[in-house]
Amino acid sequence: IRLPFVTDCPSGCAPFISSQFSFIPTASTNPKAALKSKIVAEFRPQSLIDELLLYKRSEDQIELKEKQLSTMRVDVCSTETLKCLKGKA
């Protein structure tokens, strides 16, 4: 690892400073870090927003249909009524 401030110090301290910072993972040495940086670089928030809006609309539609069904009084024994409901859905 080459740290920018290490090159500015006297010649005897550079190896010491580099050894003190050897625990810091870099993308080239750590595959997880490379994957994370790739995910961050390819992240497109608009597609996530579109998916969330689609999900929200779907949830709202389900809630509306549940409310409509709860307000209806239906005779579940009547096959004609069930056919009509099926046709409306």
Side-chain angles (χ1 to χ4, degrees):
I1 298 174
R2 295 202 97 191
L3 301 174
F5 60 86
V6 173
T7 57
D8 298 337
C9 68
S11 62
C13 69
F16 173 74
I17 292 174
S18 293
S19 69
Q20 297 303 308
F21 289 96
S22 64
F23 66 91
I24 300 174
T26 62
S28 61
T29 61
N30 188 343
K32 280 188 178 180
L35 179 62
K36 284 180 183 178
S37 42
K38 179 183 176 191
I39 290 170
V40 169
E42 293 176 356
F43 178 70
R44 300 288 178 254
Q46 189 58 46
S47 62
L48 177 63
I49 291 169
D50 293 341
E51 290 290 324
L52 289 173
L53 286 173
L54 185 64
Y55 177 77
K56 176 76 170 112
R57 278 190 221 119
S58 173
E59 287 291 315
D60 290 344
Q61 203 172 36
I62 290 170
E63 186 179 332
L64 175 66
K65 286 184 180 187
E66 286 176 348
K67 284 180 183 178
Q68 288 174 341
L69 287 174
S70 69
T71 59
M72 298 173 111
R73 292 186 178 249
V74 178
D75 179 15
V76 293
C77 296
S78 169
T79 56
E80 285 299 315
T81 307
L82 290 175
K83 285 180 184 177
C84 288
L85 280 177
K86 187 176 179 183
K88 290 181 180 180

